[in-house]
Amino acid sequence: MSKKMSIAALVLYVVYAVGMYFYIFHGPSGGVPATLKGTVADPETFMTERELYLSDDYSKIRNFLFFVITPFEWLVYLLILLTGISRIFEKWAETKWKLFKNGAYLFLLYLFTALIFYPIDIYRYQLSKEYGISTQDFSSWMRDYVIDFWVNFGTTLLLVLVLYWLIQKSAKKWWLYAWLLTIPFAIFMMYLQPVVIDPLYNEFTPLKDKQLEEKILKLANQADIPSEHVFEVNMSEKTNALNAYVTGIGDNSRIVLWDTTLNELTDEEILFIMAHEMGHYVEKHIYVGIASYLLSILVGLWLISKIMPWMVARFGKFLNIEKVGDIRSLPLFFVLVSFLLFISNPLSNYISRYQETRADEYAMELTGDAEAAVSTFQNLAKAGLSEVNPPWLVKIFRYTHPPMLERINTIARYTDNEEVETEKGNETE
């Protein structure tokens, strides 16, 4: 039966992958609406013919990889269970101390899956190099890859050890206790991120352009945002993409600009980006994000607490799982977490796109510079070879930000409304 289930899972995955291939590469593309042809939102007005070709090609490949890699992850974990590999890992990790056993099992599982996914990670790195997005040499990429492995393993180890201890202590309420512990852990990690984790990958220094820093801090003061320093990070050694962000909470919060952004954009464009990030602060999106994250974790853990025992009772014999508290059930837990995150993407992305739109509108209110806003979005699209108007399925599952077509239209609508208000004011006078 386990063999039949493995074959069925493989066939189902292949059928799904073929379907996604035809949807991505031969299905309807977003394109540019006829009413926007020739406008500032039309990529043909700001991209070269080669950039248009590369953007289309690169976007399709990345979209296809997104839709097939996550289900491939589920397939790998299911095959680890169905073929008995999980049980073998448990035997290899056997010790009289439960915590050491669970930790050793996780390491074997983590290393095994890392080796399976390594060729895919290499391909994605080479793809980014081929299309001119990545500038990172292989040794630097490999260094980041190893750091990623150990940072993620260390974090996962802590979570798994606590989780399975809770499951063994309280089979019915473990999900609630786990969620309660998630709250301080998540806040602690957000506090730690900018000062401990981020510097492992890149060097952060105070912004060297003091005149620009003064302009940014003046803008922050207009928005009533307490901020004393702006940081820049050396990303040009790794990428040609542009970015800026606000990270951390409390005393560890900081404004960060990639040096690629500093090198490629004008001061006006950078100020628009900074005003956008300040919009997130003013609109309190970080707190909404924390609340949404904690709520989703609560719902997810509760669902897993219901689904996992049912699956073990129904299919445990074929999955080589005797009870939920066995560490060999961990691949099933990972599958459920990944699946729930995947199907929740449309909702979480919708909320994120709404917040990004609000931040764009706030940036326009703060700067009033529509020309800089439009050119910023155009430059971001060119640097990242972004798809300005992706297909619907791609948009709802992948896009945390509105597509560039929508963002430029937001600016156009804003300026149109401003003109209407000005005309009304003139008529009243």
Side-chain angles (χ1 to χ4, degrees):
M1 186 64 178
S2 294
K3 185 178 180 180
K4 288 182 179 179
M5 291 178 72
S6 298
I7 294 172
L10 280 167
V11 170
L12 185 62
Y13 175 75
V14 170
V15 170
Y16 164 80
V18 170
M20 288 310 307
Y21 173 83
F22 280 101
Y23 176 79
I24 297 296
F25 289 96
H26 302 288
S29 62
V32 177
T35 55
L36 295 178
K37 285 284 187 181
T39 68
V40 290
D42 184 353
E44 290 189 4
T45 64
F46 60 87
M47 282 186 173
T48 65
E49 188 175 336
R50 176 167 174 75
E51 286 172 336
L52 288 169
Y53 169 77
L54 292 175
S55 172
D56 181 64
D57 210 36
Y58 184 57
S59 296
K60 285 179 177 178
I61 296 172
R62 291 182 67 220
N63 292 338
F64 178 69
L65 288 174
F66 170 82
F67 280 105
V68 298
I69 287 177
T70 300
F72 179 68
E73 179 186 350
W74 309 339
L75 178 66
V76 168
Y77 282 128
L78 286 175
L79 291 178
I80 286 172
L81 290 168
L82 290 167
T83 59
I85 294 175
S86 182
R87 186 167 53 187
I88 293 171
F89 286 165
E90 186 183 35
K91 287 182 180 179
W92 288 354
E94 190 64 55
T95 67
K96 61 181 180 179
W97 293 290
K98 200 80 170 179
L99 286 178
F100 285 106
K101 174 185 174 180
N102 290 353
Y105 172 90
L106 176 64
F107 178 75
L108 291 171
L109 180 65
Y110 223 79
L111 182 62
F112 183 74
T113 53
L115 291 173
I116 289 176
F117 281 93
Y118 183 71
I120 297 174
D121 294 328
I122 284 283
Y123 173 73
R124 293 167 85 169
Y125 161 70
Q126 291 177 337
L127 182 72
S128 184
K129 288 276 286 186
E130 181 182 344
Y131 282 85
I133 303 300
S134 174
T135 59
Q136 190 173 21
D137 60 47
F138 181 76
S139 61
S140 174
W141 178 83
M142 197 64 210
R143 175 184 174 274
D144 285 352
Y145 186 86
V146 172
I147 292 173
D148 258 346
F149 177 89
W150 288 111
V151 169
N152 292 334
F153 172 74
T155 306
T156 306
L157 176 64
L158 178 61
L159 295 174
V160 166
L161 292 180
V162 172
L163 179 71
Y164 274 79
W165 179 77
L166 290 173
I167 291 174
Q168 290 160 11
K169 290 294 181 181
S170 179
K172 291 185 177 181
K173 293 187 177 181
W174 64 265
W175 60 274
L176 180 59
Y177 301 139
W179 178 74
L180 291 172
L181 289 174
T182 296
I183 299 173
F185 179 77
I187 294 173
F188 176 70
M189 290 301 293
M190 290 184 69
Y191 188 79
L192 214 61
Q193 183 83 29
V195 292
V196 176
I197 298 176
D198 288 346
L200 292 175
Y201 299 90
N202 302 103
E203 181 183 358
F204 291 78
T205 58
L207 184 61
K208 298 180 182 69
D209 188 338
K210 295 305 175 184
Q211 288 185 336
L212 178 59
E213 182 180 47
E214 187 178 342
K215 292 177 184 178
I216 293 171
L217 294 178
K218 183 178 179 181
L219 203 64
N221 185 56
Q222 285 179 243
D224 294 323
I225 297 174
S227 184
E228 296 181 0
H229 298 289
V230 181
F231 291 82
E232 64 179 271
V233 55
N234 181 15
M235 290 297 295
S236 55
E237 294 180 353
K238 297 182 178 182
T239 182
N240 284 318
L242 312 178
N243 196 18
Y245 58 91
V246 176
T247 185
I249 55 174
D251 296 339
N252 283 357
S253 61
R254 56 176 58 176
I255 299 170
V256 179
L257 281 160
W258 286 11
D259 65 337
T260 51
T261 304
L262 293 167
N263 296 336
E264 297 298 325
L265 299 186
T266 65
D267 282 7
E268 289 72 25
E269 291 166 340
I270 291 171
L271 288 175
F272 178 80
I273 291 177
M274 288 292 94
H276 169 94
E277 296 302 329
M278 292 170 192
H280 286 305
Y281 179 92
V282 171
E283 297 273 338
K284 306 202 183 306
H285 290 163
I286 187 170
Y287 300 108
V288 174
I290 292 172
S292 300
Y293 170 76
L294 293 175
L295 179 61
S296 65
I297 292 293
L298 176 63
V299 173
L301 288 173
W302 178 79
L303 285 172
I304 291 172
S305 75
K306 301 299 179 183
I307 298 171
M308 202 164 167
W310 176 82
M311 291 191 70
V312 170
R314 185 87 183 260
F315 305 106
K317 180 181 177 182
F318 311 113
L319 297 173
N320 297 291
I321 303 172
E322 294 175 6
K323 55 184 180 179
V324 173
D326 290 340
I327 190 62
R328 75 175 77 157
S329 70
L330 185 59
L332 178 60
F333 180 83
F334 283 162
V335 169
L336 293 175
V337 169
S338 179
F339 177 76
L340 291 174
L341 285 172
F342 186 77
I343 63 173
S344 67
N345 270 342
L347 177 60
S348 60
N349 287 347
Y350 174 81
I351 295 171
S352 177
R353 288 195 301 272
Y354 171 77
Q355 292 179 335
E356 295 298 333
T357 300
R358 291 288 301 142
D360 285 344
E361 292 171 349
Y362 179 84
M364 277 302 302
E365 292 173 4
L366 191 61
T367 65
D369 194 342
E371 184 179 346
V374 170
S375 61
T376 297
F377 292 143
Q378 290 175 339
N379 285 321
L380 287 171
K382 289 174 65 175
L385 294 179
S386 302
E387 206 171 9
V388 297
N389 192 28
W392 178 76
L393 203 59
V394 173
K395 175 184 171 181
I396 66 169
F397 271 94
R398 288 208 65 200
Y399 276 58
T400 56
H401 290 59
M404 288 303 175
L405 194 73
E406 293 182 15
R407 300 187 81 173
I408 294 174
N409 277 340
T410 296
I411 301 304
R413 287 198 305 270
Y414 179 88
T415 52
D416 287 345
N417 290 337
E418 285 290 295
E419 288 173 2
V420 169
E421 290 298 322
T422 301
E423 288 175 5
K424 287 182 178 178
N426 291 336
E427 288 174 5
T428 302
E429 292 174 5

